[in-house]
PDB file of all heavy atoms in Angstrom:
ATOM      1  N   TRP S 180     -97.611  -0.322 -12.056  1.00 98.00           N
ATOM      2  CA  TRP S 180     -98.240  -1.624 -11.846  1.00 98.00           C
ATOM      3  C   TRP S 180     -99.113  -1.963 -13.068  1.00 98.00           C
ATOM      4  O   TRP S 180     -99.861  -1.118 -13.560  1.00 98.00           O
ATOM      5  CB  TRP S 180     -99.083  -1.604 -10.565  1.00 98.00           C
ATOM      6  CG  TRP S 180     -99.863  -2.873 -10.399  1.00 98.00           C
ATOM      7  CD1 TRP S 180     -99.397  -4.078  -9.978  1.00 98.00           C
ATOM      8  CD2 TRP S 180    -101.257  -3.057 -10.698  1.00 98.00           C
ATOM      9  NE1 TRP S 180    -100.403  -5.011 -10.002  1.00 98.00           N
ATOM     10  CE2 TRP S 180    -101.556  -4.416 -10.437  1.00 98.00           C
ATOM     11  CE3 TRP S 180    -102.261  -2.224 -11.171  1.00 98.00           C
ATOM     12  CZ2 TRP S 180    -102.832  -4.942 -10.615  1.00 98.00           C
ATOM     13  CZ3 TRP S 180    -103.540  -2.752 -11.354  1.00 98.00           C
ATOM     14  CH2 TRP S 180    -103.809  -4.108 -11.074  1.00 98.00           C
ATOM     15  N   ASN S 313    -102.616 -21.108 -12.827  1.00 98.00           N
ATOM     16  CA  ASN S 313    -102.633 -20.331 -11.591  1.00 98.00           C
ATOM     17  C   ASN S 313    -104.065 -19.896 -11.321  1.00 98.00           C
ATOM     18  O   ASN S 313    -104.761 -19.413 -12.209  1.00 98.00           O
ATOM     19  CB  ASN S 313    -101.716 -19.113 -11.726  1.00 98.00           C
ATOM     20  CG  ASN S 313    -101.721 -18.271 -10.463  1.00 98.00           C
ATOM     21  OD1 ASN S 313    -102.733 -17.670 -10.109  1.00 98.00           O
ATOM     22  ND2 ASN S 313    -100.596 -18.236  -9.768  1.00 98.00           N
ATOM     23  N   TRP S 315    -105.353 -17.456  -9.499  1.00 98.00           N
ATOM     24  CA  TRP S 315    -105.645 -16.105  -8.996  1.00 98.00           C
ATOM     25  C   TRP S 315    -106.814 -15.427  -9.706  1.00 98.00           C
ATOM     26  O   TRP S 315    -107.752 -14.946  -9.080  1.00 98.00           O
ATOM     27  CB  TRP S 315    -104.387 -15.243  -9.075  1.00 98.00           C
ATOM     28  CG  TRP S 315    -104.611 -13.814  -8.696  1.00 98.00           C
ATOM     29  CD1 TRP S 315    -104.467 -12.733  -9.497  1.00 98.00           C
ATOM     30  CD2 TRP S 315    -105.045 -13.311  -7.421  1.00 98.00           C
ATOM     31  NE1 TRP S 315    -104.757 -11.584  -8.812  1.00 98.00           N
ATOM     32  CE2 TRP S 315    -105.123 -11.907  -7.543  1.00 98.00           C
ATOM     33  CE3 TRP S 315    -105.376 -13.913  -6.204  1.00 98.00           C
ATOM     34  CZ2 TRP S 315    -105.511 -11.091  -6.483  1.00 98.00           C
ATOM     35  CZ3 TRP S 315    -105.768 -13.094  -5.151  1.00 98.00           C
ATOM     36  CH2 TRP S 315    -105.839 -11.707  -5.290  1.00 98.00           C
ATOM     37  N   PHE S 320    -109.437 -14.433  -3.754  1.00 98.00           N
ATOM     38  CA  PHE S 320    -109.135 -14.922  -2.394  1.00 98.00           C
ATOM     39  C   PHE S 320    -110.026 -16.099  -1.989  1.00 98.00           C
ATOM     40  O   PHE S 320    -109.894 -16.634  -0.896  1.00 98.00           O
ATOM     41  CB  PHE S 320    -109.330 -13.786  -1.387  1.00 98.00           C
ATOM     42  CG  PHE S 320    -108.337 -12.669  -1.555  1.00 98.00           C
ATOM     43  CD1 PHE S 320    -108.696 -11.488  -2.181  1.00 98.00           C
ATOM     44  CD2 PHE S 320    -107.041 -12.809  -1.085  1.00 98.00           C
ATOM     45  CE1 PHE S 320    -107.776 -10.460  -2.337  1.00 98.00           C
ATOM     46  CE2 PHE S 320    -106.115 -11.782  -1.238  1.00 98.00           C
ATOM     47  CZ  PHE S 320    -106.479 -10.606  -1.867  1.00 98.00           C
ATOM     48  N   ASP S 345    -103.001 -19.762  -5.636  1.00 98.00           N
ATOM     49  CA  ASP S 345    -102.525 -18.407  -5.352  1.00 98.00           C
ATOM     50  C   ASP S 345    -103.006 -17.954  -3.977  1.00 98.00           C
ATOM     51  O   ASP S 345    -103.387 -18.766  -3.114  1.00 98.00           O
ATOM     52  CB  ASP S 345    -102.972 -17.465  -6.493  1.00 98.00           C
ATOM     53  CG  ASP S 345    -102.013 -16.317  -6.716  1.00 98.00           C
ATOM     54  OD1 ASP S 345    -102.090 -15.340  -5.949  1.00 98.00           O
ATOM     55  OD2 ASP S 345    -101.182 -16.391  -7.639  1.00 98.00           O
ATOM     56  N   ASP S 346    -103.003 -16.665  -3.768  1.00 98.00           N
ATOM     57  CA  ASP S 346    -103.320 -16.015  -2.491  1.00 98.00           C
ATOM     58  C   ASP S 346    -104.671 -16.493  -1.932  1.00 98.00           C
ATOM     59  O   ASP S 346    -105.618 -16.708  -2.702  1.00 98.00           O
ATOM     60  CB  ASP S 346    -103.389 -14.509  -2.781  1.00 98.00           C
ATOM     61  CG  ASP S 346    -103.302 -13.660  -1.536  1.00 98.00           C
ATOM     62  OD1 ASP S 346    -103.368 -14.215  -0.434  1.00 98.00           O
ATOM     63  OD2 ASP S 346    -103.164 -12.440  -1.698  1.00 98.00           O
ATOM     64  N   GLY S 347    -104.760 -16.618  -0.594  1.00 97.00           N
ATOM     65  CA  GLY S 347    -106.054 -16.892   0.033  1.00 97.00           C
ATOM     66  C   GLY S 347    -106.151 -18.232   0.728  1.00 97.00           C
ATOM     67  O   GLY S 347    -107.218 -18.575   1.239  1.00 97.00           O
ATOM     68  N   ARG S 352    -107.109 -15.024   5.733  1.00 97.00           N
ATOM     69  CA  ARG S 352    -106.999 -14.316   4.462  1.00 97.00           C
ATOM     70  C   ARG S 352    -108.244 -14.540   3.600  1.00 97.00           C
ATOM     71  O   ARG S 352    -108.354 -15.548   2.879  1.00 97.00           O
ATOM     72  CB  ARG S 352    -105.749 -14.810   3.735  1.00 97.00           C
ATOM     73  CG  ARG S 352    -105.377 -14.018   2.491  1.00 97.00           C
ATOM     74  CD  ARG S 352    -104.712 -12.731   2.805  1.00 97.00           C
ATOM     75  NE  ARG S 352    -104.046 -12.192   1.623  1.00 97.00           N
ATOM     76  CZ  ARG S 352    -103.586 -10.963   1.518  1.00 97.00           C
ATOM     77  NH1 ARG S 352    -103.694 -10.132   2.536  1.00 97.00           N
ATOM     78  NH2 ARG S 352    -102.998 -10.549   0.422  1.00 97.00           N
ATOM     79  N   ASP S 355    -107.640  -8.626   1.026  1.00 97.00           N
ATOM     80  CA  ASP S 355    -106.251  -8.180   1.223  1.00 97.00           C
ATOM     81  C   ASP S 355    -106.055  -7.371   2.509  1.00 97.00           C
ATOM     82  O   ASP S 355    -105.003  -6.773   2.704  1.00 97.00           O
ATOM     83  CB  ASP S 355    -105.738  -7.434  -0.019  1.00 97.00           C
ATOM     84  CG  ASP S 355    -106.489  -6.144  -0.296  1.00 97.00           C
ATOM     85  OD1 ASP S 355    -107.271  -5.702   0.566  1.00 97.00           O
ATOM     86  OD2 ASP S 355    -106.302  -5.572  -1.391  1.00 97.00           O
ATOM     87  N   TRP S 390     -98.641 -19.991  -3.607  1.00 98.00           N
ATOM     88  CA  TRP S 390     -98.305 -18.560  -3.496  1.00 98.00           C
ATOM     89  C   TRP S 390     -97.887 -18.245  -2.069  1.00 98.00           C
ATOM     90  O   TRP S 390     -98.533 -18.690  -1.118  1.00 98.00           O
ATOM     91  CB  TRP S 390     -99.541 -17.757  -3.868  1.00 98.00           C
ATOM     92  CG  TRP S 390     -99.401 -16.262  -3.778  1.00 98.00           C
ATOM     93  CD1 TRP S 390     -99.063 -15.436  -4.791  1.00 98.00           C
ATOM     94  CD2 TRP S 390     -99.645 -15.430  -2.638  1.00 98.00           C
ATOM     95  NE1 TRP S 390     -99.067 -14.120  -4.356  1.00 98.00           N
ATOM     96  CE2 TRP S 390     -99.418 -14.094  -3.034  1.00 98.00           C
ATOM     97  CE3 TRP S 390    -100.019 -15.666  -1.313  1.00 98.00           C
ATOM     98  CZ2 TRP S 390     -99.564 -13.005  -2.170  1.00 98.00           C
ATOM     99  CZ3 TRP S 390    -100.152 -14.586  -0.450  1.00 98.00           C
ATOM    100  CH2 TRP S 390     -99.919 -13.274  -0.883  1.00 98.00           C
ATOM    101  N   GLU S 392     -96.083 -14.764   0.306  1.00 98.00           N
ATOM    102  CA  GLU S 392     -95.575 -13.376   0.310  1.00 98.00           C
ATOM    103  C   GLU S 392     -94.839 -13.157   1.636  1.00 98.00           C
ATOM    104  O   GLU S 392     -95.301 -12.427   2.523  1.00 98.00           O
ATOM    105  CB  GLU S 392     -96.720 -12.376   0.134  1.00 98.00           C
ATOM    106  CG  GLU S 392     -96.198 -10.989  -0.201  1.00 98.00           C
ATOM    107  CD  GLU S 392     -97.289  -9.953  -0.459  1.00 98.00           C
ATOM    108  OE1 GLU S 392     -98.484 -10.266  -0.285  1.00 98.00           O
ATOM    109  OE2 GLU S 392     -96.933  -8.829  -0.830  1.00 98.00           O
ATOM    110  N   ARG S 422    -101.628  -1.416  -0.156  1.00 97.00           N
ATOM    111  CA  ARG S 422    -102.392  -2.661  -0.295  1.00 97.00           C
ATOM    112  C   ARG S 422    -102.717  -3.229   1.088  1.00 97.00           C
ATOM    113  O   ARG S 422    -102.682  -4.429   1.315  1.00 97.00           O
ATOM    114  CB  ARG S 422    -101.649  -3.707  -1.134  1.00 97.00           C
ATOM    115  CG  ARG S 422    -102.615  -4.628  -1.868  1.00 97.00           C
ATOM    116  CD  ARG S 422    -101.987  -5.880  -2.399  1.00 97.00           C
ATOM    117  NE  ARG S 422    -102.953  -6.642  -3.165  1.00 97.00           N
ATOM    118  CZ  ARG S 422    -102.937  -7.952  -3.305  1.00 97.00           C
ATOM    119  NH1 ARG S 422    -101.979  -8.677  -2.743  1.00 97.00           N
ATOM    120  NH2 ARG S 422    -103.843  -8.566  -4.009  1.00 97.00           N
ATOM    121  N   LYS S 455     -94.643 -19.428  -5.769  1.00 98.00           N
ATOM    122  CA  LYS S 455     -94.734 -18.102  -6.380  1.00 98.00           C
ATOM    123  C   LYS S 455     -94.467 -17.123  -5.250  1.00 98.00           C
ATOM    124  O   LYS S 455     -95.297 -16.976  -4.344  1.00 98.00           O
ATOM    125  CB  LYS S 455     -96.125 -17.896  -6.980  1.00 98.00           C
ATOM    126  CG  LYS S 455     -96.346 -16.482  -7.517  1.00 98.00           C
ATOM    127  CD  LYS S 455     -97.727 -16.373  -8.139  1.00 98.00           C
ATOM    128  CE  LYS S 455     -98.040 -14.936  -8.539  1.00 98.00           C
ATOM    129  NZ  LYS S 455     -99.395 -14.828  -9.098  1.00 98.00           N
ATOM    130  N   ASP S 457     -94.236 -13.659  -3.881  1.00 98.00           N
ATOM    131  CA  ASP S 457     -94.765 -12.344  -4.224  1.00 98.00           C
ATOM    132  C   ASP S 457     -94.216 -11.286  -3.265  1.00 98.00           C
ATOM    133  O   ASP S 457     -93.720 -11.609  -2.175  1.00 98.00           O
ATOM    134  CB  ASP S 457     -96.300 -12.416  -4.128  1.00 98.00           C
ATOM    135  CG  ASP S 457     -97.007 -11.407  -5.005  1.00 98.00           C
ATOM    136  OD1 ASP S 457     -96.350 -10.489  -5.518  1.00 98.00           O
ATOM    137  OD2 ASP S 457     -98.235 -11.540  -5.161  1.00 98.00           O
ATOM    138  N   MET S 458     -94.332 -10.033  -3.634  1.00 98.00           N
ATOM    139  CA  MET S 458     -93.885  -8.899  -2.792  1.00 98.00           C
ATOM    140  C   MET S 458     -94.643  -7.698  -3.301  1.00 98.00           C
ATOM    141  O   MET S 458     -94.305  -7.148  -4.337  1.00 98.00           O
ATOM    142  CB  MET S 458     -92.381  -8.737  -2.981  1.00 98.00           C
ATOM    143  CG  MET S 458     -91.666  -7.860  -2.002  1.00 98.00           C
ATOM    144  SD  MET S 458     -91.943  -6.106  -2.233  1.00 98.00           S
ATOM    145  CE  MET S 458     -90.708  -5.435  -1.152  1.00 98.00           C
ATOM    146  N   ASN S 459     -95.704  -7.312  -2.570  1.00 98.00           N
ATOM    147  CA  ASN S 459     -96.693  -6.432  -3.173  1.00 98.00           C
ATOM    148  C   ASN S 459     -96.659  -4.969  -2.795  1.00 98.00           C
ATOM    149  O   ASN S 459     -97.613  -4.251  -3.088  1.00 98.00           O
ATOM    150  CB  ASN S 459     -98.092  -6.988  -2.895  1.00 98.00           C
ATOM    151  CG  ASN S 459     -98.461  -8.042  -3.915  1.00 98.00           C
ATOM    152  OD1 ASN S 459     -98.461  -7.778  -5.099  1.00 98.00           O
ATOM    153  ND2 ASN S 459     -98.741  -9.249  -3.454  1.00 98.00           N
ATOM    154  N   CYS S 504     -92.088 -12.680  -8.105  1.00 98.00           N
ATOM    155  CA  CYS S 504     -93.252 -11.857  -8.421  1.00 98.00           C
ATOM    156  C   CYS S 504     -93.226 -10.661  -7.482  1.00 98.00           C
ATOM    157  O   CYS S 504     -92.847 -10.785  -6.322  1.00 98.00           O
ATOM    158  CB  CYS S 504     -94.532 -12.678  -8.216  1.00 98.00           C
ATOM    159  SG  CYS S 504     -96.048 -11.734  -8.398  1.00 98.00           S
ATOM    160  N   SER S 505     -93.624  -9.516  -7.986  1.00 98.00           N
ATOM    161  CA  SER S 505     -93.783  -8.368  -7.102  1.00 98.00           C
ATOM    162  C   SER S 505     -94.926  -7.555  -7.674  1.00 98.00           C
ATOM    163  O   SER S 505     -94.721  -6.616  -8.433  1.00 98.00           O
ATOM    164  CB  SER S 505     -92.477  -7.560  -7.067  1.00 98.00           C
ATOM    165  OG  SER S 505     -92.648  -6.429  -6.246  1.00 98.00           O
ATOM    166  N   GLY S 506     -96.155  -8.004  -7.361  1.00 98.00           N
ATOM    167  CA  GLY S 506     -97.317  -7.390  -7.977  1.00 98.00           C
ATOM    168  C   GLY S 506     -97.154  -7.419  -9.489  1.00 98.00           C
ATOM    169  O   GLY S 506     -97.384  -6.431 -10.171  1.00 98.00           O
ATOM    170  N   GLY S 507     -96.706  -8.542 -10.019  1.00 98.00           N
ATOM    171  CA  GLY S 507     -96.313  -8.640 -11.425  1.00 98.00           C
ATOM    172  C   GLY S 507     -94.821  -8.409 -11.522  1.00 98.00           C
ATOM    173  O   GLY S 507     -94.037  -8.982 -10.758  1.00 98.00           O
ATOM    174  N   GLY S 508     -94.403  -7.511 -12.428  1.00 98.00           N
ATOM    175  CA  GLY S 508     -92.980  -7.365 -12.733  1.00 98.00           C
ATOM    176  C   GLY S 508     -92.254  -6.302 -11.923  1.00 98.00           C
ATOM    177  O   GLY S 508     -91.367  -5.638 -12.452  1.00 98.00           O
ATOM    178  N   TRP S 523     -92.904 -13.480 -12.774  1.00 98.00           N
ATOM    179  CA  TRP S 523     -94.256 -13.137 -13.209  1.00 98.00           C
ATOM    180  C   TRP S 523     -94.161 -11.753 -13.825  1.00 98.00           C
ATOM    181  O   TRP S 523     -93.907 -10.758 -13.153  1.00 98.00           O
ATOM    182  CB  TRP S 523     -95.228 -13.208 -12.036  1.00 98.00           C
ATOM    183  CG  TRP S 523     -96.637 -12.819 -12.389  1.00 98.00           C
ATOM    184  CD1 TRP S 523     -97.451 -11.993 -11.680  1.00 98.00           C
ATOM    185  CD2 TRP S 523     -97.404 -13.257 -13.523  1.00 98.00           C
ATOM    186  NE1 TRP S 523     -98.670 -11.869 -12.297  1.00 98.00           N
ATOM    187  CE2 TRP S 523     -98.660 -12.635 -13.450  1.00 98.00           C
ATOM    188  CE3 TRP S 523     -97.137 -14.093 -14.604  1.00 98.00           C
ATOM    189  CZ2 TRP S 523     -99.659 -12.824 -14.406  1.00 98.00           C
ATOM    190  CZ3 TRP S 523     -98.123 -14.286 -15.566  1.00 98.00           C
ATOM    191  CH2 TRP S 523     -99.369 -13.663 -15.461  1.00 98.00           C
ATOM    192  N   SER S 525     -96.119  -9.536 -15.407  1.00 98.00           N
ATOM    193  CA  SER S 525     -97.027  -8.419 -15.146  1.00 98.00           C
ATOM    194  C   SER S 525     -98.355  -8.967 -14.667  1.00 98.00           C
ATOM    195  O   SER S 525     -98.787 -10.029 -15.113  1.00 98.00           O
ATOM    196  CB  SER S 525     -97.255  -7.621 -16.434  1.00 98.00           C
ATOM    197  OG  SER S 525     -98.198  -6.600 -16.210  1.00 98.00           O
ATOM    198  N   ASP S 526     -99.044  -8.206 -13.807  1.00 98.00           N
ATOM    199  CA  ASP S 526    -100.416  -8.568 -13.448  1.00 98.00           C
ATOM    200  C   ASP S 526    -101.379  -8.266 -14.587  1.00 98.00           C
ATOM    201  O   ASP S 526    -102.547  -8.644 -14.532  1.00 98.00           O
ATOM    202  CB  ASP S 526    -100.860  -7.795 -12.201  1.00 98.00           C
ATOM    203  CG  ASP S 526    -100.480  -8.530 -10.933  1.00 98.00           C
ATOM    204  OD1 ASP S 526    -100.009  -9.668 -11.015  1.00 98.00           O
ATOM    205  OD2 ASP S 526    -100.664  -7.956  -9.835  1.00 98.00           O
ATOM    206  N   TRP S 552     -99.737 -15.808 -18.890  1.00 98.00           N
ATOM    207  CA  TRP S 552    -100.937 -16.647 -18.780  1.00 98.00           C
ATOM    208  C   TRP S 552    -101.993 -16.254 -19.806  1.00 98.00           C
ATOM    209  O   TRP S 552    -102.130 -15.091 -20.153  1.00 98.00           O
ATOM    210  CB  TRP S 552    -101.638 -16.485 -17.438  1.00 98.00           C
ATOM    211  CG  TRP S 552    -100.847 -16.630 -16.201  1.00 98.00           C
ATOM    212  CD1 TRP S 552     -99.642 -17.240 -16.032  1.00 98.00           C
ATOM    213  CD2 TRP S 552    -101.228 -16.118 -14.915  1.00 98.00           C
ATOM    214  NE1 TRP S 552     -99.253 -17.151 -14.729  1.00 98.00           N
ATOM    215  CE2 TRP S 552    -100.198 -16.470 -14.009  1.00 98.00           C
ATOM    216  CE3 TRP S 552    -102.327 -15.420 -14.427  1.00 98.00           C
ATOM    217  CZ2 TRP S 552    -100.238 -16.133 -12.663  1.00 98.00           C
ATOM    218  CZ3 TRP S 552    -102.371 -15.081 -13.089  1.00 98.00           C
ATOM    219  CH2 TRP S 552    -101.344 -15.443 -12.214  1.00 98.00           C
TER     220      TRP S 552
HETATM  221  C1  DGJ O 801    -100.015  -9.885  -6.980  1.00 75.80           C
HETATM  222  C2  DGJ O 801     -99.638 -10.918  -8.004  1.00 75.80           C
HETATM  223  O1  DGJ O 801     -98.920 -10.353  -9.044  1.00 75.80           O
HETATM  224  C3  DGJ O 801    -100.903 -11.609  -8.470  1.00 75.80           C
HETATM  225  O2  DGJ O 801    -100.623 -12.496  -9.514  1.00 75.80           O
HETATM  226  C4  DGJ O 801    -101.501 -12.318  -7.298  1.00 75.80           C
HETATM  227  O3  DGJ O 801    -100.621 -13.318  -6.848  1.00 75.80           O
HETATM  228  C5  DGJ O 801    -101.802 -11.333  -6.187  1.00 75.80           C
HETATM  229  N1  DGJ O 801    -100.652 -10.548  -5.855  1.00 75.80           N
HETATM  230  C6  DGJ O 801    -102.281 -12.050  -4.955  1.00 75.80           C
HETATM  231  O4  DGJ O 801    -102.463 -11.219  -3.896  1.00 75.80           O
END
Side-chain angles (χ1 to χ4, degrees):
W180 174 77
N313 179 293
W315 175 243
F320 294 102
D345 210 280
D346 197 351
R352 189 78 164 167
D355 64 11
W390 178 94
E392 194 177 5
R422 209 196 184 209
K455 174 178 173 182
D457 206 348
M458 193 286 191
N459 276 303
C504 174
S505 178
W523 178 226
S525 176
D526 272 353
W552 308 340

